[in-house]
Every structure is written in C-alpha cells, then in structure tokens.
Amino acid sequence: MRLDILDHGYSPKTKLLFALIRLISRHPVPDAAKLVFYRPDFYGARAKAFTHEAMRGTSDWSVGDRELMAAYVSQVNETAFCVRAHTATASRAYQDGPRVAAVLADLESAPIEEPLRATLRMLGKLTREGTVGAEDMREVLAAGASPRQIEDALAVCAAFNVTDRLADAFGFALLTPEGFEAGADHLLKRGYR
C-alpha cells in the first residue's frame, strides 16, 4: 500500500524544482527524491549528505562497486524500487549490465573479484541477520579487502538499509525502465546531493 504523503506538503520552491525535473527528464519525480525534500530539516538534508559520502566520497571501491552494494543490500531486503534503481546505476557505472545481473542472480558464481564477493556476502549477512562478528570480518580481510574498504561498505549498507525500509514503508512507486535509466544517469552525474 502506498502512502501518498510524499505527494503533498512541499514549498513553492520545491514544487518548482519538481516541475523542472519533470520537464527536463520527461519522467515523474521518483519517490526517493520526494522523500528527501519532504522533511529536509528532519531527514532529507542529513540523509543526502550521508548517502552522498557513502556512495561518492573517497573510497577504494569504485562507484560501480558501491552501487552494486546498494543493489545487493536492497535485493536482500526485497525492496523492488531500490533494487531496480541501483541495478541500473551499477550497470551504467560498470558499463556491464550482465556482470551486475550475474551478482544479483548468484553471488558465488558471479564474475567479480574476491574482495568484493566476500564484502557482499558479509553485507548480505548483516542485512539478513542484523549482526556480523569478528570471524566475518576476518573472512573479508582474508579475501583481500582493506579495513577502510570494510568501513566504506558498511556505510553503504547502513544508508541502504534505512532507505530500503523507508521505500517499503512509503510504498515507493516503480518507474518505467526508461525512468530508472534516467535516474541512473542523474545519480552518476550528480550523486546523491
């Protein structure tokens, strides 16, 4: 069930921005964008800053890797909007849609590097079970991920566990495939600001 609260209550300036987005993109404004503008003082400004840093800040993970992490966490959470949005963005970032699809279909046989596979495995466990332990971290380190990469991956996981829950709570409307592609282009050009 969709909560329609995201369709009301914006300032005139924000309504103008949404109209401009619709005009330029020729697609409806995604509910994810509406959410960060709905209560910017309470959630939106902080969420944008945190998510942008996790997804586009300095990291040894590529943008494609972090977008794949977002898609993977969202798949574990069964959040259709975020899976599709970040699958499209990861596919564009890597310029390799089949690679992204392979990871989401079967992590263990996907053609990716071991540090990324072990990190995704750990993020999946954390998302499903709500906890990981020292042995989980040792496995990711043994696979070749650095402590900093683990910290960066955990930031992505935190951002998308929150976003996924909000997407599900508000019932984010799915976009057309073209809408998700337009969103991916935007995220790759501008990030999460």
Side-chain angles (χ1 to χ4, degrees):
M1 181 172 137
R2 177 172 162 70
L3 295 178
D4 68 353
I5 195 168
L6 295 180
D7 296 328
H8 311 287
Y10 298 100
S11 71
K13 180 181 173 183
T14 300
K15 289 177 184 177
L16 180 61
L17 175 64
F18 288 174
L20 198 62
I21 291 170
R22 281 191 304 274
L23 180 67
I24 293 170
S25 72
R26 297 190 193 118
H27 297 283
V29 176
D31 288 336
K34 291 178 182 179
L35 177 66
V36 296
F37 283 99
Y38 183 70
R39 296 275 310 272
D41 56 325
F42 176 73
Y43 170 77
R46 290 175 185 92
K48 286 191 321 184
F50 179 78
T51 305
H52 185 79
E53 181 61 29
M55 299 302 285
R56 298 296 185 269
T58 303
S59 179
D60 291 335
W61 295 116
S62 71
V63 167
D65 294 338
R66 289 178 277 175
E67 289 291 342
L68 180 59
M69 290 174 195
Y72 189 79
V73 166
S74 297
Q75 180 172 283
V76 172
N77 282 325
E78 299 178 1
T79 305
F81 177 90
C82 294
V83 172
R84 291 183 188 176
H86 298 286
T87 295
T89 309
S91 295
R92 285 200 179 237
Y94 281 136
Q95 296 289 307
D96 190 350
R99 178 182 187 201
V100 173
V103 169
L104 297 176
D106 181 12
L107 175 61
E108 298 310 320
S109 67
I112 59 172
E113 302 77 21
E114 288 308 310
L116 181 57
R117 185 184 328 277
T119 300
L120 289 169
R121 193 181 299 123
M122 180 268 298
L123 296 180
K125 179 180 179 184
L126 179 57
T127 298
R128 272 188 306 280
E129 299 175 17
T131 187
V132 289
E135 185 57 35
D136 299 302
M137 294 301 120
R138 282 192 282 274
E139 288 175 16
V140 178
L141 290 167
S146 70
R148 174 63 195 260
Q149 285 178 304
I150 293 171
E151 289 175 14
D152 293 347
L154 290 170
V156 172
C157 187
F160 282 90
N161 270 294
V162 169
T163 301
D164 290 344
R165 281 160 179 78
L166 289 169
D168 290 339
F170 283 98
F172 281 11
L174 296 179
L175 306 175
T176 63
E178 297 80 17
F180 281 119
E181 292 300 323
D185 286 343
H186 175 80
L187 288 176
L188 290 173
K189 288 177 189 164
R190 295 192 45 115
Y192 290 81
R193 296 178 209 190

